[in-house]
Amino acid sequence: METNVVLVLLVGLPGSGKTKLCKALKALSEETENFGKLVLAHVCYDKLIPLSVQREFVEQKKSEEKSGKDRNRTDGENCEITVENESTKELKTMDEEKDFEGDGNEGQSISEDWKSARLKIHSQVDQLLHFINTRRTESSVEDFFGIPFGALEGDMCVILLDDNFYYRSMRYEFYQLARRHSAAFCQLYMECSVEEAMQHNSMREESVPAEVVITMGARLQPPQPHLHPWEANTCVLQGQGEGQVRQAWSAVVQAFQHGLTPVEDREEEVAEARRRCSQSVVHQADLSLRAIVKHLIKKELQKASDGERDSLPASQVAARINSARQAVLADLREGVLEVLSCLADAITKDNRQEFDAFLEVEMKKKL
């Protein structure tokens, strides 16, 4: 289905060349006369969410990590007492790993500001798409983006969302938005190593904190069209030359032929049901992993006692195993770890044993 608007997501680390590509695409579009009046709207997140907020956020995360290490030591001591005394007390483990965007109490205002800003951009893009299709919207949208809506009255419109979009869930929200408005959806993935990104980032007039680049590099979920059909229209770009600009432009132009069909109400209900099931699976995994942690700590300490391996303080053993638990939970929560198909809908009495075995295998991979 053809459409007159394409929503394009720029995916990649800070310093990978996303903003530079957007400017090059805009210049190229102004030289193109084959498609009637085509207009590009560049929505740059760094301008809408100041880098100063990112710096504050990094400082917050440092503080959280420090307090997490302190809790880690305390929990390790608790584990040592529990295992050695074979107490009937339930093993106490560390809190779940916080998302990069943060959802803890410490520095909550910064995290909430960050989330609120992103939600507002999503809402305003929604209104922008509504305007393109109906020519009716609130004046606040025009003020928010600083784009004169008179400039968006072309035959075809491309909206470039210039952000990192390092989590797949961030991108899927905009895929749903494009589908709701019968727009096309396209991803331009700037494939770049952390080292290259940091080098390019350091040369910018206002650079992103290095800690942000490193953290995003560790958590970046690249597009996987072979696993997620909604990511099928993805163009992978390496480098920042003219060839890459032409390749990206071709992907964007071709996207106009693939407008999405609006989501029916029933599909929204199914998506919501799946989201709730996913949350339930993570919760059940947390309960199971606590028991697995207790078992593994006891097993490791017994090996040390029997002389099968070098003896380590119980606190270090507990900290290492707890860290693996957090990593498994984070993978489940972020969709990195694919749950077995037979367990995907819900955890029941019938599949509990298989679920626990699956989690224990993943735990051991992390150790």
Side-chain angles (χ1 to χ4, degrees):
M1 180 182 75
E2 291 188 12
T3 182
N4 68 329
V5 59
V6 178
L7 191 60
V8 181
L9 269 58
L10 280 292
V11 183
L13 300 175
S16 59
K18 299 184 298 298
T19 300
K20 184 178 179 180
L21 176 62
C22 287
K23 293 178 179 178
L25 288 174
K26 188 169 181 61
L28 185 59
S29 70
E30 293 170 353
E31 300 171 2
T32 304
E33 301 177 355
N34 298 335
F35 303 96
K37 189 177 179 183
L38 186 149
V39 178
L40 265 74
H42 179 198
V43 180
C44 183
Y45 274 58
D46 281 350
K47 292 183 178 179
L48 299 173
I49 306 177
L51 291 177
S52 59
V53 174
Q54 297 186 33
R55 292 192 180 91
E56 289 183 58
F57 189 75
V58 170
E59 292 304 317
Q60 171 196 324
K61 296 309 293 180
K62 285 181 180 178
S63 177
E64 288 178 358
E65 288 171 3
K66 183 179 183 302
S67 62
K69 290 178 181 178
D70 292 339
R71 287 197 305 271
N72 197 32
R73 285 193 292 269
T74 303
D75 287 334
E77 292 168 1
N78 288 339
C79 289
E80 181 178 355
I81 295 172
T82 303
V83 173
E84 290 186 349
N85 295 335
E86 296 186 353
S87 169
T88 57
K89 288 184 180 181
E90 188 179 61
L91 181 68
K92 294 183 179 180
T93 52
M94 293 180 290
D95 294 335
E96 294 182 6
E97 180 178 329
K98 305 301 181 185
D99 184 83
F100 180 69
E101 293 185 7
D103 56 2
N105 292 324
E106 184 177 355
Q108 186 174 6
S109 60
I110 299 174
S111 298
E112 291 305 316
D113 286 347
W114 180 275
K115 290 181 179 180
S116 177
R118 297 188 68 87
L119 286 173
K120 186 173 182 179
I121 294 174
H122 183 276
S123 174
Q124 298 296 317
V125 172
D126 189 1
Q127 288 291 324
L128 183 56
L129 287 168
H130 177 71
F131 168 79
I132 292 171
N133 287 330
T134 66
R135 301 302 169 186
R136 297 192 305 273
T137 192
E138 300 176 6
S139 60
S140 61
V141 181
E142 186 172 7
D143 296 336
F144 182 81
F145 291 117
I147 302 172
F149 278 7
L152 297 178
E153 295 181 355
D155 298 328
M156 307 168 81
C157 184
V158 175
I159 302 175
L160 300 172
L161 296 184
D162 181 3
D163 185 39
N164 306 291
F165 292 112
Y166 57 97
Y167 280 158
R168 187 168 291 106
S169 59
M170 295 175 174
R171 308 194 293 268
Y172 186 65
E173 290 177 351
F174 281 100
Y175 169 80
Q176 291 177 311
L177 195 60
R179 192 171 184 183
R180 191 182 310 147
H181 291 278
S182 299
F185 178 81
C186 177
Q187 296 183 144
L188 302 179
Y189 173 42
M190 311 294 290
E191 194 172 48
C192 177
S193 69
V194 173
E195 292 74 21
E196 291 174 317
M198 290 184 67
Q199 181 180 1
H200 295 152
N201 177 61
S202 66
M203 294 186 289
R204 299 199 301 187
E205 185 175 342
E206 189 172 11
S207 61
V208 173
E211 294 90 340
V212 171
V213 181
I214 294 171
T215 302
M216 285 187 182
R219 301 192 180 186
L220 175 67
Q221 296 175 343
Q224 295 179 303
H226 61 290
L227 294 178
H228 307 281
W230 62 270
E231 292 192 295
N233 197 9
T234 297
C235 178
V236 180
L237 303 169
Q238 297 176 327
Q240 302 179 21
E242 183 178 346
Q244 284 68 35
V245 176
R246 294 285 178 182
Q247 185 182 351
W249 175 252
S250 177
V252 171
V253 170
Q254 289 178 21
F256 280 104
Q257 306 300 318
H258 304 286
L260 301 171
T261 303
V263 182
E264 297 179 0
D265 292 341
R266 177 58 185 160
E267 291 187 50
E268 292 283 7
E269 292 176 10
V270 171
E272 176 62 17
R274 286 176 178 169
R275 184 186 67 80
R276 290 178 180 175
C277 281
S278 176
Q279 290 180 339
S280 175
V281 168
V282 172
H283 173 68
Q284 293 298 324
D286 187 25
L287 297 178
S288 293
L289 284 169
R290 291 175 186 271
I292 292 172
V293 164
K294 184 176 181 179
H295 168 72
L296 290 178
I297 291 175
K298 187 174 181 179
K299 188 175 180 180
E300 287 296 304
L301 293 178
Q302 185 61 49
K303 285 183 179 180
S305 177
D306 295 341
E308 295 181 24
R309 66 165 180 78
D310 294 337
S311 177
L312 292 174
S315 59
Q316 290 186 24
V317 174
R320 185 169 63 90
I321 295 176
N322 271 315
S323 178
R325 171 178 91 66
Q326 288 183 337
V328 171
L329 278 174
D331 285 352
L332 281 171
R333 203 178 297 117
E334 297 164 9
V336 175
L337 180 61
E338 298 291 341
V339 179
L340 298 174
S341 58
C342 58
L343 306 174
D345 293 333
I347 306 305
T348 64
K349 291 182 180 179
D350 295 333
N351 62 20
R352 167 65 66 180
Q353 186 174 359
E354 186 176 2
F355 184 56
D356 289 349
F358 167 74
L359 291 174
E360 186 166 354
V361 168
E362 293 303 323
M363 276 279 292
K364 289 179 179 178
K365 288 180 182 178
K366 302 291 185 182
L367 293 172

